[in-house]
Amino acid sequence: MKPPIFIIIMLTVISGTMIVMTTSHWLMVWIGFEMNLLAIIPILMKKYNPRAMEAATKYFLTQATASMLLMMGIIINLLHSGQWTVSKDLNPMASIMMTTALAMKLGLAPFHFWLPEVTQGISMSSGLILLTWQKIAPLSILYQISPTINPNLLLTMAIMSVMIGGWGGLNQTQLRKIMAYSSIAHMGWMAAIMMYSPTMMILNLIIYITMTLTTFMLFMYNSTTTTSSLSQTWNKTPLITSFILVLMMSLSGLPPLSGFIPKWMIIQELTKNEMIMMPTLLAMTALLNLYFYMRLTYTTALTMFPSNNCMKMKWRFERTKKTILLPPLIVMSTMLLPLAPMLSVL
């Protein structure tokens, strides 16, 4: 794809999300989602091959169905209230339809089936955009309508997402699919806290985006897409490999790393609201995620790849990929825990 075309398409994606986040008119929300959807398709098909085309088609069909449901919810709300304003007093039926549509756009269970398939079919850079930027717009609308969301519906989807995000990733060898299931699990955590503390959801989203961004950049730097190719990085780039180890631990939510902050705060907030079973289930299913991150860590950093050369370091060409953003991103993805008191005040 030529740079000017790519820039125009990316600007359309960004402006679509910005319109959704800033508008207070339901029709403009819908238009923003449509702009975003139509502009992201060429980005998904950037490296043109049959798999990318299939992934883009699956993505388009799912998102178009979600947009249709969203519009139906908007019209039901319009018929009951007589206004287009994004307000906190939604009609219950409209609220259920909108929540379902937004869950579909996010890839929350039971509408998660498209996410691993689409992520696997596209390139690493497109997958990065799909799992980070594309989550912002639906979550901003859920944030705005959070007081009127049906709690049973959202909490059921949350617990299902965390469980499926854990179980689904156990048997995977493809890194993009593992990251997709990780995304489903993180979305489940965000959905669980949505009604009790929407600002906590935003904190979780920021930390999730930072960690996912860093992980994808490290995978792209090493040009790895499977666990077997990841196991060879120890010979080539020991330092980067150790960063991947720490990042995996952070993604799984182990203290004293950044990924522990949202899990700790969400469990604390849920127990404050006299919910005992929900945080217990969330914490137990998080162990499944920990298992497959540990497996990645083991294949990457704790096993030496059998190499024929006598040297530990392989002879190699100079790297041409730029790593300007990697150092600050790695620091943010791993060392934010001391800021937890300040973040809890915010």
Side-chain angles (χ1 to χ4, degrees):
M1 194 185 289
K2 290 177 181 173
I5 298 170
F6 181 71
I7 289 166
I8 291 166
I9 291 171
M10 275 308 291
L11 282 173
T12 315
V13 170
I14 292 165
S15 56
T17 305
M18 289 301 174
I19 287 168
V20 173
M21 287 170 70
T22 52
T23 187
S24 59
H25 194 283
W26 276 120
L27 188 62
M28 287 303 290
V29 167
W30 189 79
I31 289 169
F33 275 125
E34 289 304 297
M35 278 175 66
N36 185 288
L37 165 61
L38 294 172
I40 198 81
I41 299 293
I43 292 174
L44 300 186
M45 292 168 65
K46 199 166 57 173
K47 286 198 173 109
Y48 182 77
N49 55 52
R51 292 200 68 177
M53 191 171 180
E54 184 192 333
T57 310
K58 283 176 182 171
Y59 183 76
F60 175 76
L61 291 173
T62 315
Q63 299 295 314
T65 311
S67 291
M68 181 188 71
L69 274 173
L70 181 67
M71 188 43 116
M72 196 170 169
I74 291 169
I75 291 167
I76 290 170
N77 186 55
L78 174 69
L79 293 173
H80 276 86
S81 66
Q83 59 170 2
W84 286 94
T85 316
V86 180
S87 60
K88 290 189 167 47
D89 51 346
L90 281 179
N91 173 267
M93 187 63 205
S95 174
I96 286 172
M97 294 210 74
M98 286 177 189
T99 310
T100 309
L102 294 167
M104 223 166 169
K105 283 190 174 290
L106 283 171
L108 275 173
F111 311 106
H112 66 282
F113 295 98
W114 62 272
L115 189 63
E117 297 300 320
V118 171
T119 315
Q120 181 55 33
I122 57 183
S123 65
M124 273 282 188
S125 52
S126 304
L128 170 61
I129 295 167
L130 181 71
L131 294 182
T132 54
W133 183 261
Q134 291 301 92
K135 307 292 182 193
I136 296 171
L139 282 170
S140 71
I141 297 299
L142 277 174
Y143 177 87
Q144 288 177 63
I145 64 167
S146 58
T148 56
I149 294 176
N150 184 336
N152 297 332
L153 173 70
L154 197 64
L155 289 176
T156 307
M157 288 199 292
I159 197 70
M160 280 175 74
S161 298
V162 178
M163 289 176 90
I164 286 165
W167 286 114
L170 287 182
N171 208 22
Q172 299 298 335
T173 54
Q174 298 289 334
L175 297 179
R176 280 167 293 191
K177 273 196 175 176
I178 287 175
M179 291 311 292
Y181 280 111
S182 158
S183 170
I184 293 168
H186 277 95
M187 289 301 129
W189 280 86
M190 286 179 222
I193 199 62
M194 184 80 69
M195 288 171 311
Y196 301 103
S197 176
T199 44
M200 196 80 76
M201 182 273 294
I202 290 176
L203 170 69
N204 195 338
L205 177 66
I206 292 165
I207 292 175
Y208 158 76
I209 286 176
T210 311
M211 292 191 298
T212 308
L213 185 64
T214 318
T215 311
F216 265 96
M217 282 180 75
L218 285 172
F219 290 159
M220 282 152 67
Y221 178 75
N222 283 321
S223 306
T224 48
T225 53
T226 61
T227 47
S228 58
S229 61
L230 200 62
S231 65
Q232 300 169 31
T233 53
W234 190 245
N235 268 359
K236 298 175 193 168
T237 49
L239 193 61
I240 293 287
T241 313
S242 49
F243 284 145
I244 292 175
L245 181 149
V246 179
L247 256 172
M248 289 296 138
M249 296 297 95
S250 186
L251 267 168
S252 59
L254 285 183
L257 303 166
S258 299
F260 179 61
I261 301 172
K263 287 188 169 54
W264 166 28
M265 290 189 174
I266 287 171
I267 289 172
Q268 187 180 7
E269 195 67 33
L270 287 171
T271 39
K272 272 185 196 169
N273 285 286
E274 296 180 3
M275 292 183 73
I276 302 301
M277 279 310 292
M278 186 73 183
T280 309
L281 276 169
L282 287 174
M284 284 168 72
T285 43
L287 293 173
L288 295 167
N289 289 59
L290 176 62
Y291 173 77
F292 66 73
Y293 289 129
M294 280 298 290
R295 217 181 68 212
L296 274 183
T297 305
Y298 180 73
T299 53
T300 312
L302 303 178
T303 51
M304 283 294 278
F305 189 75
S307 59
N308 298 323
N309 58 352
C310 302
M311 289 173 63
K312 201 173 180 183
M313 298 289 284
K314 266 190 183 176
W315 176 87
R316 64 194 188 279
F317 289 113
E318 280 291 313
R319 294 262 174 180
T320 53
K321 290 178 183 172
K322 296 280 185 288
T323 55
I324 310 159
L325 287 173
L326 263 180
L329 278 173
I330 289 168
V331 170
M332 285 171 68
S333 303
T334 51
M335 299 184 188
L336 285 183
L337 193 66
L339 298 178
M342 186 185 81
L343 294 172
S344 64
V345 169
L346 293 174

Short mmCIF file of all heavy atoms in Angstrom, two decimals, residues 203-238:
data_model
loop_
_atom_site.label_atom_id
_atom_site.label_comp_id
_atom_site.label_asym_id
_atom_site.label_seq_id
_atom_site.Cartn_x
_atom_site.Cartn_y
_atom_site.Cartn_z
N LEU A 203 -8.81 2.89 33.10
CA LEU A 203 -7.44 2.58 33.56
C LEU A 203 -7.00 1.22 33.03
O LEU A 203 -5.88 1.08 32.51
CB LEU A 203 -7.40 2.60 35.10
CG LEU A 203 -6.11 2.06 35.73
CD1 LEU A 203 -4.95 3.01 35.47
CD2 LEU A 203 -6.27 1.83 37.21
N ASN A 204 -7.90 0.24 33.15
CA ASN A 204 -7.61 -1.11 32.65
C ASN A 204 -7.32 -1.07 31.15
O ASN A 204 -6.38 -1.70 30.67
CB ASN A 204 -8.81 -2.02 32.93
CG ASN A 204 -8.47 -3.49 32.78
OD1 ASN A 204 -7.52 -3.86 32.11
ND2 ASN A 204 -9.26 -4.34 33.39
N LEU A 205 -8.12 -0.31 30.41
CA LEU A 205 -7.96 -0.21 28.95
C LEU A 205 -6.60 0.38 28.59
O LEU A 205 -5.90 -0.13 27.71
CB LEU A 205 -9.08 0.64 28.35
CG LEU A 205 -9.02 0.88 26.84
CD1 LEU A 205 -9.21 -0.42 26.07
CD2 LEU A 205 -10.04 1.91 26.39
N ILE A 206 -6.21 1.45 29.30
CA ILE A 206 -4.92 2.11 29.01
C ILE A 206 -3.76 1.15 29.24
O ILE A 206 -2.86 1.01 28.40
CB ILE A 206 -4.76 3.40 29.86
CG1 ILE A 206 -5.77 4.46 29.40
CG2 ILE A 206 -3.34 3.95 29.76
CD1 ILE A 206 -5.95 5.61 30.37
N ILE A 207 -3.80 0.44 30.39
CA ILE A 207 -2.71 -0.50 30.70
C ILE A 207 -2.72 -1.67 29.72
O ILE A 207 -1.66 -2.10 29.24
CB ILE A 207 -2.81 -0.97 32.17
CG1 ILE A 207 -2.51 0.21 33.10
CG2 ILE A 207 -1.84 -2.12 32.45
CD1 ILE A 207 -2.67 -0.05 34.56
N TYR A 208 -3.91 -2.16 29.37
CA TYR A 208 -4.02 -3.26 28.40
C TYR A 208 -3.44 -2.86 27.04
O TYR A 208 -2.68 -3.61 26.43
CB TYR A 208 -5.49 -3.70 28.26
CG TYR A 208 -5.78 -4.41 26.96
CD1 TYR A 208 -5.38 -5.74 26.78
CD2 TYR A 208 -6.44 -3.78 25.90
CE1 TYR A 208 -5.61 -6.40 25.57
CE2 TYR A 208 -6.68 -4.43 24.71
CZ TYR A 208 -6.27 -5.74 24.56
OH TYR A 208 -6.50 -6.38 23.37
N ILE A 209 -3.79 -1.65 26.57
CA ILE A 209 -3.29 -1.17 25.27
C ILE A 209 -1.77 -1.05 25.30
O ILE A 209 -1.08 -1.46 24.37
CB ILE A 209 -3.97 0.16 24.87
CG1 ILE A 209 -5.41 -0.10 24.44
CG2 ILE A 209 -3.20 0.86 23.75
CD1 ILE A 209 -6.22 1.14 24.10
N THR A 210 -1.23 -0.50 26.40
CA THR A 210 0.23 -0.35 26.53
C THR A 210 0.93 -1.70 26.45
O THR A 210 1.90 -1.88 25.71
CB THR A 210 0.58 0.34 27.87
OG1 THR A 210 -0.22 1.50 28.02
CG2 THR A 210 2.04 0.73 27.92
N MET A 211 0.41 -2.68 27.21
CA MET A 211 1.06 -4.01 27.25
C MET A 211 0.94 -4.73 25.90
O MET A 211 1.90 -5.33 25.43
CB MET A 211 0.43 -4.86 28.36
CG MET A 211 0.74 -4.35 29.75
SD MET A 211 0.30 -5.50 31.05
CE MET A 211 -1.46 -5.66 30.85
N THR A 212 -0.24 -4.65 25.28
CA THR A 212 -0.44 -5.33 23.99
C THR A 212 0.43 -4.69 22.91
O THR A 212 1.03 -5.39 22.08
CB THR A 212 -1.93 -5.28 23.58
OG1 THR A 212 -2.71 -5.76 24.67
CG2 THR A 212 -2.21 -6.12 22.36
N LEU A 213 0.50 -3.37 22.93
CA LEU A 213 1.33 -2.63 21.97
C LEU A 213 2.79 -3.07 22.07
O LEU A 213 3.44 -3.38 21.07
CB LEU A 213 1.19 -1.13 22.24
CG LEU A 213 1.87 -0.14 21.30
CD1 LEU A 213 1.28 -0.25 19.91
CD2 LEU A 213 1.72 1.28 21.80
N THR A 214 3.29 -3.12 23.30
CA THR A 214 4.70 -3.51 23.52
C THR A 214 4.93 -4.95 23.06
O THR A 214 5.93 -5.24 22.38
CB THR A 214 5.06 -3.39 25.02
OG1 THR A 214 4.50 -2.19 25.54
CG2 THR A 214 6.55 -3.37 25.23
N THR A 215 4.01 -5.86 23.42
CA THR A 215 4.17 -7.28 23.05
C THR A 215 4.21 -7.44 21.53
O THR A 215 5.10 -8.11 20.99
CB THR A 215 3.01 -8.11 23.63
OG1 THR A 215 2.85 -7.79 25.00
CG2 THR A 215 3.27 -9.59 23.50
N PHE A 216 3.27 -6.80 20.84
CA PHE A 216 3.24 -6.90 19.38
C PHE A 216 4.50 -6.31 18.75
O PHE A 216 5.03 -6.85 17.78
CB PHE A 216 1.99 -6.19 18.82
CG PHE A 216 0.84 -7.13 18.59
CD1 PHE A 216 -0.15 -7.29 19.53
CD2 PHE A 216 0.75 -7.87 17.42
CE1 PHE A 216 -1.22 -8.16 19.32
CE2 PHE A 216 -0.30 -8.73 17.19
CZ PHE A 216 -1.29 -8.89 18.14
N MET A 217 4.97 -5.19 19.32
CA MET A 217 6.19 -4.57 18.76
C MET A 217 7.40 -5.48 18.94
O MET A 217 8.25 -5.57 18.04
CB MET A 217 6.44 -3.21 19.41
CG MET A 217 5.53 -2.13 18.83
SD MET A 217 5.80 -0.53 19.55
CE MET A 217 7.32 -0.05 18.79
N LEU A 218 7.47 -6.18 20.06
CA LEU A 218 8.59 -7.11 20.28
C LEU A 218 8.49 -8.30 19.31
O LEU A 218 9.49 -8.76 18.77
CB LEU A 218 8.60 -7.61 21.73
CG LEU A 218 9.11 -6.60 22.76
CD1 LEU A 218 8.90 -7.13 24.17
CD2 LEU A 218 10.59 -6.29 22.55
N PHE A 219 7.25 -8.81 19.11
CA PHE A 219 7.06 -9.91 18.16
C PHE A 219 7.42 -9.46 16.74
O PHE A 219 8.02 -10.21 15.97
CB PHE A 219 5.62 -10.42 18.20
CG PHE A 219 5.25 -11.17 19.45
CD1 PHE A 219 3.93 -11.32 19.84
CD2 PHE A 219 6.24 -11.71 20.26
CE1 PHE A 219 3.59 -12.00 21.00
CE2 PHE A 219 5.92 -12.40 21.43
CZ PHE A 219 4.59 -12.54 21.79
N MET A 220 7.03 -8.23 16.39
CA MET A 220 7.32 -7.71 15.05
C MET A 220 8.83 -7.49 14.89
O MET A 220 9.39 -7.72 13.82
CB MET A 220 6.56 -6.40 14.80
CG MET A 220 5.10 -6.62 14.46
SD MET A 220 4.04 -5.25 14.92
CE MET A 220 4.58 -3.98 13.83
N TYR A 221 9.48 -7.06 15.95
CA TYR A 221 10.93 -6.84 15.91
C TYR A 221 11.66 -8.15 15.64
O TYR A 221 12.63 -8.21 14.90
CB TYR A 221 11.39 -6.24 17.25
CG TYR A 221 12.88 -6.00 17.33
CD1 TYR A 221 13.48 -4.93 16.66
CD2 TYR A 221 13.69 -6.84 18.09
CE1 TYR A 221 14.85 -4.72 16.73
CE2 TYR A 221 15.06 -6.64 18.17
CZ TYR A 221 15.64 -5.57 17.49
OH TYR A 221 16.99 -5.37 17.56
N ASN A 222 11.16 -9.24 16.25
CA ASN A 222 11.79 -10.55 16.05
C ASN A 222 11.25 -11.28 14.83
O ASN A 222 11.73 -12.38 14.51
CB ASN A 222 11.54 -11.44 17.28
CG ASN A 222 12.43 -11.05 18.43
OD1 ASN A 222 13.59 -10.72 18.23
ND2 ASN A 222 11.88 -11.06 19.63
N SER A 223 10.20 -10.71 14.19
CA SER A 223 9.52 -11.37 13.05
C SER A 223 9.05 -12.77 13.42
O SER A 223 9.27 -13.74 12.68
CB SER A 223 10.44 -11.44 11.83
OG SER A 223 10.93 -10.17 11.51
N THR A 224 8.44 -12.90 14.59
CA THR A 224 7.97 -14.22 15.04
C THR A 224 6.44 -14.26 15.03
O THR A 224 5.79 -13.29 15.43
CB THR A 224 8.45 -14.53 16.47
OG1 THR A 224 8.17 -13.40 17.29
CG2 THR A 224 9.91 -14.84 16.51
N THR A 225 5.89 -15.40 14.58
CA THR A 225 4.43 -15.56 14.61
C THR A 225 3.99 -16.83 15.32
O THR A 225 2.83 -17.00 15.63
CB THR A 225 3.85 -15.59 13.18
OG1 THR A 225 4.55 -16.59 12.44
CG2 THR A 225 3.98 -14.25 12.48
N THR A 226 4.95 -17.73 15.60
CA THR A 226 4.60 -18.98 16.30
C THR A 226 5.51 -19.16 17.50
O THR A 226 6.57 -18.55 17.59
CB THR A 226 4.79 -20.20 15.37
OG1 THR A 226 6.16 -20.26 14.98
CG2 THR A 226 3.91 -20.12 14.14
N THR A 227 5.09 -20.06 18.39
CA THR A 227 5.90 -20.31 19.60
C THR A 227 7.23 -20.97 19.24
O THR A 227 8.23 -20.75 19.90
CB THR A 227 5.14 -21.21 20.60
OG1 THR A 227 4.58 -22.30 19.89
CG2 THR A 227 4.05 -20.46 21.30
N SER A 228 7.24 -21.80 18.17
CA SER A 228 8.49 -22.47 17.80
C SER A 228 9.53 -21.47 17.28
O SER A 228 10.71 -21.58 17.59
CB SER A 228 8.22 -23.54 16.74
OG SER A 228 7.62 -22.96 15.61
N SER A 229 9.06 -20.46 16.51
CA SER A 229 10.02 -19.45 16.03
C SER A 229 10.45 -18.53 17.17
O SER A 229 11.55 -17.98 17.16
CB SER A 229 9.42 -18.64 14.88
OG SER A 229 8.26 -17.96 15.30
N LEU A 230 9.57 -18.40 18.15
CA LEU A 230 9.91 -17.57 19.32
C LEU A 230 11.02 -18.23 20.14
O LEU A 230 11.83 -17.55 20.76
CB LEU A 230 8.66 -17.37 20.18
CG LEU A 230 8.63 -16.21 21.16
CD1 LEU A 230 8.74 -14.88 20.44
CD2 LEU A 230 7.35 -16.23 21.97
N SER A 231 11.08 -19.57 20.09
CA SER A 231 12.09 -20.28 20.89
C SER A 231 13.51 -20.07 20.36
O SER A 231 14.47 -20.37 21.03
CB SER A 231 11.76 -21.78 20.94
OG SER A 231 11.87 -22.32 19.64
N GLN A 232 13.62 -19.55 19.13
CA GLN A 232 14.96 -19.33 18.56
C GLN A 232 15.52 -17.94 18.88
O GLN A 232 16.65 -17.65 18.54
CB GLN A 232 14.91 -19.51 17.04
CG GLN A 232 14.44 -20.89 16.64
CD GLN A 232 14.13 -20.98 15.16
OE1 GLN A 232 14.74 -20.29 14.36
NE2 GLN A 232 13.20 -21.82 14.79
N THR A 233 14.73 -17.10 19.50
CA THR A 233 15.16 -15.72 19.72
C THR A 233 16.27 -15.63 20.77
O THR A 233 17.02 -14.66 20.78
CB THR A 233 13.99 -14.83 20.17
OG1 THR A 233 13.36 -15.44 21.28
CG2 THR A 233 12.99 -14.64 19.06
N TRP A 234 16.35 -16.62 21.64
CA TRP A 234 17.37 -16.57 22.72
C TRP A 234 18.78 -16.54 22.13
O TRP A 234 19.67 -15.89 22.64
CB TRP A 234 17.18 -17.78 23.63
CG TRP A 234 17.99 -17.72 24.88
CD1 TRP A 234 19.01 -18.55 25.23
CD2 TRP A 234 17.87 -16.77 25.94
NE1 TRP A 234 19.51 -18.19 26.45
CE2 TRP A 234 18.83 -17.10 26.91
CE3 TRP A 234 17.04 -15.69 26.18
CZ2 TRP A 234 19.00 -16.38 28.09
CZ3 TRP A 234 17.20 -14.96 27.35
CH2 TRP A 234 18.16 -15.31 28.28
N ASN A 235 18.98 -17.24 21.01
CA ASN A 235 20.28 -17.24 20.34
C ASN A 235 20.60 -15.89 19.71
O ASN A 235 21.75 -15.49 19.63
CB ASN A 235 20.29 -18.29 19.22
CG ASN A 235 20.81 -19.61 19.74
OD1 ASN A 235 21.17 -19.71 20.90
ND2 ASN A 235 20.85 -20.61 18.90
N LYS A 236 19.56 -15.22 19.21
CA LYS A 236 19.78 -14.00 18.43
C LYS A 236 19.78 -12.75 19.31
O LYS A 236 20.69 -11.93 19.24
CB LYS A 236 18.68 -13.85 17.37
CG LYS A 236 18.66 -14.98 16.36
CD LYS A 236 17.46 -14.80 15.45
CE LYS A 236 17.22 -16.07 14.63
NZ LYS A 236 15.94 -16.03 13.95
N THR A 237 18.74 -12.59 20.12
CA THR A 237 18.60 -11.36 20.91
C THR A 237 18.24 -11.69 22.36
O THR A 237 17.06 -11.67 22.73
CB THR A 237 17.48 -10.46 20.31
OG1 THR A 237 16.33 -11.29 20.09
CG2 THR A 237 17.89 -9.82 19.01
N PRO A 238 19.23 -11.99 23.18
CA PRO A 238 18.95 -12.39 24.57
C PRO A 238 18.20 -11.32 25.37
O PRO A 238 17.31 -11.64 26.15
CB PRO A 238 20.34 -12.63 25.16
CG PRO A 238 21.26 -12.74 24.01
CD PRO A 238 20.66 -11.99 22.89
#
